[in-house]
Amino acid sequence: MGDTKSGRDDDFQAFIVTVWPRLVRTAYLLAGEQYAAEDLVQSAAEKACAAWTKVRRADDPYAYVRRILVNQHARRWRRRPPELLVDAVPDTARVEDGFARSDQRGALLAALATLPPRQREAVVLRHWEDLSDSQAAAAMGCSTGAVRSHAAKGIARLRQVTELVGLKDTEHIGGTV
């Protein structure tokens, strides 16, 4: 029996180490602050660990954990009013972080911070995570029509930000610049 628990723990650890950077980037775009993003990912990892048997049997364990992450983020927005944390943008970025290579990352994060939570989630999931409407709907727990509506409204608001005018949509959210 000890080997089974140890094997389960090893499987979870290997999984979470692999997906951690991607989850943190997504959480950062959702939360707008590094500390909040790390806390959000930690909470999602704890829930995933507790349900690891179910998570690893899922068709896409990463999508399952990402859904936990989005749900955790939504709960935090419901519990307290949003804060604008634009000053929390890191000065440096990791090399693998394509979004951070953009000169407009501060403007992007500031603009994302002004979006209502559901629009922000839809924009991040559709354009940063590059999910389809149905995948984003599953992650957000809503219909595909709601995802399209939230994403369209969010992108429209981002297009109004002077510092972002002239960039293509994919350049706003993690595309190459």
Side-chain angles (χ1 to χ4, degrees):
M1 282 258 171
D3 290 334
T4 304
K5 183 177 179 351
S6 175
R8 183 175 56 96
D9 292 346
D10 291 345
D11 287 347
F12 175 75
Q13 183 177 6
F15 169 78
I16 206 68
V17 165
T18 301
V19 300
W20 188 270
R22 190 170 170 195
L23 288 170
V24 170
R25 283 190 299 267
T26 299
Y28 184 77
L29 290 170
L30 291 172
E33 181 185 30
Q34 187 67 30
Y35 297 111
E38 290 170 358
D39 188 42
L40 193 58
V41 174
Q42 181 65 38
S43 295
E46 288 171 8
K47 289 191 177 296
C49 184
W52 180 240
T53 303
K54 186 176 179 180
V55 173
R56 75 175 172 188
R57 284 193 316 248
D59 290 337
D60 184 354
Y62 175 75
Y64 193 106
V65 176
R66 183 181 53 230
R67 171 72 188 265
I68 294 171
L69 180 87
V70 171
N71 287 344
Q72 289 289 107
H73 176 258
R75 281 187 197 98
R76 288 175 188 214
W77 277 99
R78 285 185 215 121
R79 278 189 248 145
R80 63 184 171 96
E83 299 175 36
L84 187 60
L85 300 170
V86 177
D87 294 334
V89 177
D91 293 328
T92 60
R94 294 185 183 141
V95 174
E96 77 277 4
D97 194 349
F99 131 86
R101 282 182 268 153
S102 169
D103 291 337
Q104 289 84 14
R105 76 175 181 268
L108 171 62
L109 289 170
L112 279 173
T114 67
L115 296 179
R118 296 300 274 180
Q119 286 180 15
R120 185 174 183 156
E121 289 171 4
V123 169
V124 168
L125 293 173
R126 286 288 291 121
H127 297 280
W128 173 260
E129 283 284 321
D130 200 25
L131 299 181
S132 68
D133 288 334
S134 59
Q135 290 169 320
M140 292 173 64
C142 63
S143 70
T144 56
V147 169
R148 284 194 286 276
S149 175
H150 289 307
K153 289 175 185 174
I155 291 295
R157 285 183 70 174
L158 291 176
R159 284 184 178 139
Q160 294 173 353
V161 176
T162 306
E163 292 84 1
L164 300 177
V165 172
L167 295 176
K168 294 182 274 181
D169 286 344
T170 57
E171 290 175 330
H172 286 302
I173 314 290
T176 58
V177 176

